[in-house]
Amino acid sequence: MSLKALKTCNKPGCPILISDGRFCAKHGEQAKRREYAERNADEVRKLYATSRWMRVRNHALCRNQPCQRLLEDGKRCEHGATIAHHIVSPRENPDLMYDTANLLCVCAAHHPNTEGEEDLTRYVPTITD
């Protein structure tokens, strides 16, 4: 059994020792509130809450089932697509936010962790009509 060394809270000037995480309980709650406020102030993130986005997203997901990701053997993933992922991030080009040709419909397991998508050869083409 190994013992883990205690460290101080990441809040400058806070002397409290903690075993896990970055902040003590008091400053961890403050950090969560600050991150929540920053996330909600993001203009691009607000676009994902609009009814227009929900209509485009639902239309794309209905037309592109199952997941568009191609597996290593060249076969298509058989899981249902639940996420509409932008090929070109709306942060780079906001005009493409609602363009179904700019979307990939994937399952949660194949949702890229990055904004945008570089390699489209790993996906079946999106049906846009």
Side-chain angles (χ1 to χ4, degrees):
M1 180 171 119
S2 66
L3 296 175
K4 196 172 184 182
L6 296 176
K7 58 184 180 180
T8 57
C9 174
N10 273 3
K11 176 75 173 176
C14 180
I16 297 175
L17 295 175
I18 56 174
S19 58
D20 292 322
R22 299 180 331 167
F23 298 101
C24 66
K26 175 184 173 186
H27 296 120
E29 192 59 38
Q30 289 175 354
K32 282 183 188 176
R33 283 196 300 267
R34 185 175 54 252
E35 289 169 5
Y36 179 79
E38 288 170 2
R39 202 172 41 245
N40 286 338
D42 182 0
E43 293 301 319
V44 172
R45 192 166 182 85
K46 288 179 183 178
L47 295 175
Y48 287 99
T50 63
S51 60
R52 182 178 178 193
W53 164 248
M54 293 307 288
R55 281 193 310 274
V56 169
R57 174 191 171 277
N58 291 340
H59 175 75
L61 286 171
C62 287
R63 300 288 295 143
N64 293 282
Q65 288 292 328
C67 176
Q68 290 181 253
R69 181 74 153 89
L70 293 173
L71 304 175
E72 302 300 325
D73 58 4
K75 293 183 181 176
R76 189 171 178 172
C77 173
E78 294 179 1
H79 292 100
T82 57
I83 300 169
H85 178 75
H86 286 95
I87 297 168
V88 176
S89 170
R91 293 186 192 289
E92 293 175 24
N93 189 345
D95 295 337
L96 296 177
M97 173 74 182
Y98 305 108
D99 185 357
T100 55
N102 185 43
L103 296 176
L104 293 172
C105 298
V106 294
C107 64
H110 290 123
H111 183 225
N113 290 333
T114 60
E115 289 188 1
E117 180 60 42
E118 302 275 329
D119 185 11
L120 295 179
T121 61
R122 300 183 302 170
Y123 300 92
V124 174
T126 303
I127 299 170
T128 59
D129 60 352

